[in-house]
Amino acid sequence: MRLENIVWDALDPHRLGSFWAAALDAEPLTDRPDLFEARVQLTDDVFLDLCFPRVPAKSSSPPRLHPDLVGGPRQQAVVEKLLGLGAVHADVGQGDVPWVVLADPEGNAFCVMEDRASYTGTGPIAALPLDSVDPERDAEFWAAITGWVPAEGPAAGTSLRHPDGVGPLLELCPEPEPKQGKNGLHLDVRRDVGEADVTDRLVGMGASLLGGDGLPWLVLADPSGNEFCVLDA
């Protein structure tokens, strides 16, 4: 399997997807009333797709996944660009920190980061922090289902990155509070060609099967309850 999609629940897929495509210099792939998709091409062979399916209502649960964008020496210029695209400053209780917290047009908070050596060569998304009950356990789980490998990050043993050393870090972070309701952002992985049904293997690793009957993907939760989908090969 490989990590393929970052998925935002969207009330207006075109509006939200267009914001993120412009913010990340991503190439639009799909623009329908019910779905907007764009691609961040990291190398000739490595990409991440941004997906914005329409939902009837947004989750009111505290966010457990968000993108941290590369800022570095250009942090203020990146912030000004995002404000011009429709972002707004946001207060999530961050206090006095060296990064800048913004919210996209549908209120999803994200950060523009200061300069960090671990973000060298990531592309426009520096990191994907994901809340976890047990970061070390969940780092092992996500490494097993993505093929990503341990990388230098905020805490040893809980940051992963594509084995080619490109793209964002996946950072497993201690959860500030127990999970409540559905995550408004989630990740999708895709099965490799020829790979058999993976349900039993994932459940054996601590995942929970949530659904997927009649769909071309499975809906599961990681050991901390964070939803993700496994797409067909």
Side-chain angles (χ1 to χ4, degrees), residues 7-11 16 53 55 58 106 108 182-186:
V7 184
W8 286 254
D9 287 352
L11 299 176
L16 187 60
V55 296
K58 297 290 286 288
E106 291 197 0
N108 302 298
K182 179 179 181 291
N183 288 355
L185 275 76
H186 72 265

Side-chain angles (χ1 to χ4, degrees), residues 47-60:
F47 63 88
L48 281 174
D49 283 350
L50 318 174
C51 302
F52 304 87
R54 184 184 295 278
V55 296
K58 297 290 286 288
S59 174
S60 60

Side-chain angles (χ1 to χ4, degrees), residues 23-83:
L24 302 176
D25 295 322
E27 177 188 1
L29 302 174
T30 305
D31 190 357
R32 305 196 310 254
D34 63 334
L35 178 67
F36 187 99
E37 296 176 306
R39 175 162 295 177
V40 178
Q41 195 75 44
L42 298 167
T43 70
D44 289 344
D45 301 318
V46 181
F47 63 88
L48 281 174
D49 283 350
L50 318 174
C51 302
F52 304 87
R54 184 184 295 278
V55 296
K58 297 290 286 288
S59 174
S60 60
S61 300
R64 292 172 61 87
L65 173 69
H66 69 270
D68 285 344
L69 306 192
V70 166
R74 298 189 60 256
Q75 184 186 53
Q76 190 54 45
V78 172
V79 169
E80 292 301 326
K81 171 188 173 180
L82 294 165
L83 293 174

Side-chain angles (χ1 to χ4, degrees), residues 184-218:
L185 275 76
H186 72 265
L187 303 174
D188 290 345
V189 298
R190 187 176 293 280
R191 260 185 355 200
D192 289 332
V193 173
E195 189 169 18
D197 180 32
V198 297
T199 306
D200 289 344
R201 178 162 70 92
L202 294 176
V203 171
M205 293 163 52
S208 302
L209 181 62
L210 303 180
D213 289 346
L215 297 172
W217 56 79
L218 297 172

Side-chain angles (χ1 to χ4, degrees), residues 102-135:
L102 302 175
D104 69 21
E106 291 197 0
N108 302 298
F110 63 97
C111 304
V112 181
M113 303 304 292
E114 76 283 10
D115 195 24
R116 294 188 186 183
S118 58
Y119 295 157
T120 301
T122 60
I125 306 174
L128 297 166
L130 177 63
D131 285 357
S132 166
V133 175
D134 184 335

